[in-house]
Amino acid sequence: MDEMEEELKCPVCGSFFREPIILPCSHNICLACARNILVQTPDAESPQSSRASGSGVSDYDYLDLDKMSLYSEADSGYGSYGGFVSAPTTPCQKSPNGVRVFPPAVPQPPPQHHLLQQPGSLPPIPRNSCITCPQCHRSLILDDRGLRGFPKNRVLEGVVDRYQQSKAAALKCQLCEKSPKEATVMCEQCDVFYCDPCRLRCHPPRGPLAKHRLVPPAQGRISRRASPRKISTCTEHELENLSMYCVQCKMPVCYQCLEEGKHGTHEVKALGAMWKLHKGQLSQALNGLSDRATEAKEFLVQLRNMVQHIQENGVEFEACLVAQCDALIDALNRRKAQLLARVNKEHEHKLKVVRDQISHCTVKLRQTTGLMEYCLEVIKENDPSGFLQISDALIRRVHMTESQWGKGTLTPRMNSDFDLTLDSGPLLQTIHQLDFVQMKVPAAPMLQLEECCTQNNSATLSWKQPPLSTIAVDGYILELDDGNGGQFREVYVGTETICTVDGLHFNSTYRSRVKAFNGSGVGQYSKTLIMQTSEIAWFTFDPASAHPDIMFSNDNLTVTCNSYDDRVVMGNSAFSRGVHYWEMTVDRYDNHPDPAFGVARADVLKDVMLGKDDKAWAMYVDNNRSWFMHNNSHTNRTDGGISKGATIGVLLDFTRGLLIFLINDEQQGPVAFEALEGVYYPAISLNRNVQVTLHTGLPIPDFYTPGEADPTGSVC
């Protein structure tokens, strides 16, 4: 509750709010304080002329004018109080809360003296009176209603009353300026607690005050708690109760406002429904702010622990340094003082940074906690209209305060470690060059999970050094296993912090890790990241490895040739494990050529039919029959050819080492080749009479049942 006290004090007088009113900018001020900071502007001086006269406006006024904006009548009630103007040139003072305020043009009595007035008996407000908010410094001219045009913040008044009752074991006089004495009576009409001297001075038993009823303080406290909730009335129509809520103006309104006033065409909703809605919104906003406050408390504990660690590490470091220096010859002692001074400077610098951050975070947490407690007390109020008058402002403040605990706010600004080690190896004649050198290996890198991904049979990994690490890094070593639970192997060594590894197995799970190194050695490994490659292969034809006569289209999925001789083109993905299936459709087939389909090594001949050398395994087919061919050996002639629109399928199964061909979804001949091991690329050969389109990412045909995977499968 102590943190909330700042929320309950007037920015002008620095005391608890008394009869607070709500300014159009959503800030609160005591009614008496508002009267005391009123400034009367000359009738002849308009807001425009006031700003135009450079000699009559201070630099502070110009700053305020730059922040102001003119509002229409639909803007949260600003228009009903007149246009915005700058405050006349008056000296600026500070309230007990440190907020700058504009004093009245003429001396005014203290804020407490208004308590002697009967309700509604305040003197009339002079014409063209201007009031400036002491918090946001916005100014406005009052209309004929004067301060009565501002709504009273009954919710805040109730919270202040409860807070004071909970804090005061013995009721204190509310008019004592210093060291309040214990109250002896309470006036039920003035609603004020008096000690005997203040009662005789401020509440004499004569005149209109003679009819006031004075009761003991304890009875007055009970009557305060038992007082019924006041009925909210409209500031425009004082005889009408507030019954609806204007959504556009965001304020409670009465029935007469809807019938005759400016809210007649606005959207309105039931007061009770909006009360519950805004309470829910404030509660929801408080949940997020509460999480930030909890994080802040944990962060403060972390910072306080860092202070202890820095102190312990500093003491340990000093002891080590002294021991090394004392072991050296006398010449080293002259250097020892300089080194100790440097360590102490680093020590104090770290402590100063952390303590400054503790102080800053403590202040911000206190403000946050105070706002939370105040909001919770506001939620307890049962006054719908009064709550809705301040709910929007509170919700904005809660969101704004939550945003201040954004990313980076709860991160230590200093590392508690001393990343310095004394090197005692230099020779005696180089003592004058003795200095700290970095002898620690780098910390373990942090994998940036949001940037790590797999695509097809490639994996991209990204990493960085810990944010508080100051140790130099010469490079990084990235390691992956074989995708089958085997040993790690180095796949990259260099200074980059991102790497893409190609040529991995499809449908495999890889473990990856990275470590940093410098001149002192190799650091620890990062956490191990497990990555899964694509289950089904997606690939295209590869222009980079194809014969120059091959022509590509359709995003490298369709190929033909500009030569009458057979030319080879391969896919851009290699296979060495798993079961894979892809198809090619014949888009054009003229003069009965015999294209070949199959798989090949990376160094296959590109200017002969696929299967002529020992680097390819293929099926070549014409319009009537097909043959299997490897190393220019033709086998298994099978009836059945192709034509335009035909589909040729290739099934490669590394679990059994088999290669099978299909034509129009039917197996063509027996198993074409067996005992296949190693790395193979999809490949075809064709001439200018043939055009085919590749289809990948296909499921295994239904007729085929893959065998068990070989646990010792090779690695590409």
Side-chain angles (χ1 to χ4, degrees):
M1 294 288 286
D2 292 337
E3 290 83 354
M4 186 179 65
E5 186 168 311
E6 295 180 7
E7 297 282 339
L8 308 181
K9 289 185 176 180
C10 175
V12 176
C13 63
S15 302
F16 287 109
F17 281 107
R18 294 292 299 168
E19 297 185 73
I21 59 175
I22 307 173
L23 299 179
C25 55
S26 299
H27 293 129
N28 300 285
I29 188 174
C30 294
L31 181 60
C33 295
R35 186 169 187 83
N36 285 344
I37 64 173
L38 284 177
V39 177
Q40 187 174 3
T41 60
D43 294 341
E45 183 179 4
S46 65
Q48 291 79 4
S49 64
S50 174
R51 180 168 185 173
S53 57
S55 61
V57 183
S58 66
D59 294 337
Y60 175 71
D61 296 328
Y62 278 119
L63 177 63
D64 286 345
L65 284 171
D66 290 338
K67 296 179 180 179
M68 295 178 189
S69 60
L70 296 179
Y71 289 75
S72 67
E73 288 191 353
D75 289 324
S76 301
Y78 275 101
S80 63
Y81 300 101
F84 285 97
V85 298
S86 67
T89 305
T90 55
C92 182
Q93 298 179 351
K94 283 191 176 182
S95 74
N97 282 359
V99 180
R100 293 193 296 181
V101 300
F102 292 100
V106 295
Q108 298 289 336
Q112 296 92 332
H113 288 189
H114 79 276
L115 299 172
L116 303 180
Q117 304 280 352
Q118 288 287 348
S121 63
L122 288 173
I125 301 298
R127 292 187 58 190
N128 296 331
S129 293
C130 172
I131 186 171
T132 300
C133 175
Q135 291 185 275
C136 66
H137 308 302
R138 286 182 172 175
S139 301
L140 65 147
I141 295 178
L142 304 183
D143 58 15
D144 294 337
R145 294 175 297 165
L147 295 177
R148 293 192 302 273
F150 295 109
K152 294 182 179 179
N153 195 338
R154 297 185 307 278
V155 173
L156 176 58
E157 193 173 10
V159 173
V160 170
D161 187 42
R162 289 201 306 271
Y163 179 81
Q164 290 179 311
Q165 293 179 19
S166 64
K167 297 295 289 185
L171 294 174
K172 301 294 184 180
C173 175
Q174 294 176 283
L175 297 184
C176 290
E177 295 184 358
K178 295 181 180 179
S179 302
K181 300 178 182 178
E182 186 172 348
T184 56
V185 294
M186 173 197 171
C187 176
E188 289 188 338
Q189 285 70 32
C190 298
D191 195 21
V192 175
F193 290 95
Y194 298 94
C195 64
D196 287 335
C198 291
R199 176 178 59 82
L200 295 175
R201 185 180 73 253
C202 302
H203 201 288
R206 59 179 178 270
L209 300 178
K211 298 181 180 180
H212 288 197
R213 182 179 178 220
L214 301 178
V215 297
Q219 182 179 345
R221 173 187 283 182
I222 296 174
S223 63
R224 270 190 174 185
R225 293 179 178 177
S227 59
R229 180 164 60 96
K230 299 178 181 179
I231 300 177
S232 304
T233 58
C234 180
T235 57
E236 296 280 350
H237 313 96
E238 297 181 355
L239 298 180
E240 295 290 338
N241 295 337
L242 296 173
S243 57
M244 302 296 290
Y245 181 81
C246 179
V247 178
Q248 183 173 346
C249 299
K250 296 184 179 180
M251 60 182 297
V253 295
C254 68
Y255 177 78
Q256 195 169 348
C257 289
L258 301 180
E259 293 293 328
E260 304 173 1
K262 62 183 180 182
H263 306 281
T265 59
H266 295 176
E267 179 186 0
V268 296
K269 292 187 178 181
L271 195 65
M274 293 303 295
W275 177 40
K276 294 181 180 179
L277 176 63
H278 281 227
K279 272 198 173 185
Q281 292 176 350
L282 181 57
S283 299
Q284 186 176 3
L286 280 176
N287 290 336
L289 186 58
S290 176
D291 295 338
R292 294 295 179 270
T294 301
E295 294 175 5
K297 292 178 181 178
E298 296 173 353
F299 180 61
L300 281 174
V301 174
Q302 179 184 354
L303 291 179
R304 293 188 178 99
N305 292 336
M306 285 187 64
V307 172
Q308 181 180 357
H309 293 159
I310 291 174
Q311 292 173 336
E312 294 174 354
N313 293 341
V315 172
E316 180 181 354
F317 191 80
E318 287 184 23
C320 180
L321 179 61
V322 172
Q324 288 179 314
C325 290
D326 290 341
L328 299 176
I329 59 176
D330 294 341
L332 187 60
N333 290 327
R334 292 190 295 268
R335 186 67 174 170
K336 180 175 66 174
Q338 300 177 11
L339 296 176
L340 282 172
R342 183 172 173 182
V343 171
N344 288 329
K345 182 178 179 180
E346 180 72 8
H347 181 195
E348 294 301 325
H349 172 67
K350 288 179 177 287
L351 289 177
K352 182 179 182 303
V353 172
V354 175
R355 284 168 175 164
D356 288 346
Q357 192 173 11
I358 289 176
S359 177
H360 175 73
C361 191
T362 300
V363 172
K364 186 179 291 186
L365 178 61
R366 181 181 180 88
Q367 295 172 349
T368 300
T369 306
L371 177 59
M372 291 171 54
E373 294 179 354
Y374 171 56
C375 291
L376 291 174
E377 291 297 327
V378 169
I379 292 177
K380 296 177 182 178
E381 287 295 310
N382 294 322
D383 184 355
S385 61
F387 178 84
L388 292 174
Q389 286 175 332
I390 63 173
S391 58
D392 286 299
L394 284 179
I395 292 172
R396 288 195 300 271
R397 285 189 61 193
V398 168
H399 285 302
M400 182 182 302
T401 304
E402 181 182 3
S403 66
Q404 293 175 354
W405 293 102
K407 185 177 180 182
T409 307
L410 303 182
T411 301
R413 300 174 185 168
M414 180 59 63
N415 188 2
S416 60
D417 294 331
F418 285 75
D419 298 326
L420 298 171
T421 302
L422 183 65
D423 182 14
S424 59
L427 298 175
L428 182 62
Q429 60 267 27
T430 61
I431 288 180
H432 67 281
Q433 298 177 348
L434 186 63
D435 200 353
F436 291 108
V437 295
Q438 200 172 69
M439 294 294 292
K440 291 186 177 181
V441 298
M446 299 172 56
L447 289 170
Q448 297 183 275
L449 301 181
E450 65 277 5
E451 298 183 13
C452 298
C453 62
T454 59
Q455 183 176 8
N456 221 9
N457 64 334
S458 299
T460 299
L461 296 102
S462 177
W463 59 88
K464 64 179 181 180
Q465 281 299 105
L468 296 180
S469 177
T470 58
I471 304 175
V473 176
D474 294 338
Y476 301 93
I477 301 174
L478 175 63
E479 297 181 356
L480 268 73
D481 69 355
D482 61 358
N484 198 31
Q487 297 294 321
F488 282 93
R489 56 179 179 169
E490 294 183 2
V491 296
Y492 171 76
V493 178
T495 59
E496 299 295 332
T497 58
I498 186 169
C499 178
T500 298
V501 183
D502 297 318
L504 302 177
H505 299 296
F506 286 92
N507 195 23
S508 299
T509 301
Y510 286 88
R511 295 177 298 155
S512 59
R513 62 188 185 184
V514 64
K515 57 185 177 181
F517 63 88
N518 60 13
S520 300
V522 180
Q524 296 293 322
Y525 284 107
S526 67
K527 293 183 178 180
T528 301
L529 176 64
I530 299 177
M531 308 182 75
Q532 174 73 37
T533 55
S534 176
E535 182 177 358
I536 299 177
W538 297 84
F539 59 92
T540 65
F541 290 117
D542 185 18
S545 62
H547 192 279
D549 292 339
I550 297 295
M551 302 170 62
F552 296 84
S553 61
N554 189 25
D555 295 329
N556 298 332
L557 292 174
T558 301
V559 293
T560 185
C561 183
N562 59 12
S563 172
Y564 285 105
D565 297 323
D566 290 313
R567 300 290 186 252
V568 173
V569 58
M570 299 190 300
N572 61 359
S573 292
F575 305 127
S576 60
R577 181 184 298 169
V579 182
H580 308 280
Y581 178 72
W582 64 94
E583 293 180 347
M584 286 157 284
T585 57
V586 180
D587 302 328
R588 180 167 51 81
Y589 187 78
D590 302 329
N591 302 322
H592 308 299
D594 46 3
F597 308 86
V599 296
R601 303 288 192 185
D603 55 350
V604 65
L605 296 176
K606 305 292 178 28
D607 55 356
V608 296
M609 178 184 287
L610 192 68
K612 286 286 187 178
D613 62 357
D614 62 348
K615 305 297 184 182
W617 294 256
M619 176 190 74
Y620 70 93
V621 58
D622 58 18
N623 62 321
N624 290 320
R625 61 192 69 84
S626 65
W627 293 264
F628 301 148
M629 183 167 62
H630 169 64
N631 200 15
N632 205 25
S633 173
H634 306 254
T635 60
N636 297 99
R637 170 179 169 174
T638 304
D639 292 334
I642 62 173
S643 60
K644 179 180 179 180
T647 300
I648 298 89
V650 182
L651 177 61
L652 178 60
D653 183 357
F654 284 101
T655 62
R656 296 177 178 176
L658 305 180
L659 181 63
I660 300 173
F661 296 97
L662 295 84
I663 296 180
N664 295 329
D665 298 328
E666 297 290 338
Q667 183 173 338
Q668 183 73 0
V671 173
F673 301 99
E674 299 179 346
L676 296 180
E677 293 181 352
V679 181
Y680 298 89
Y681 289 85
I684 67 169
S685 65
L686 72 171
N687 61 21
R688 65 182 304 166
N689 292 315
V690 182
Q691 176 177 302
V692 300
T693 296
L694 176 66
H695 304 278
T696 63
L698 303 176
I700 306 301
D702 294 336
F703 77 89
Y704 187 76
T705 302
E708 293 295 328
D710 182 4
T712 61
S714 60
V715 178
C716 66

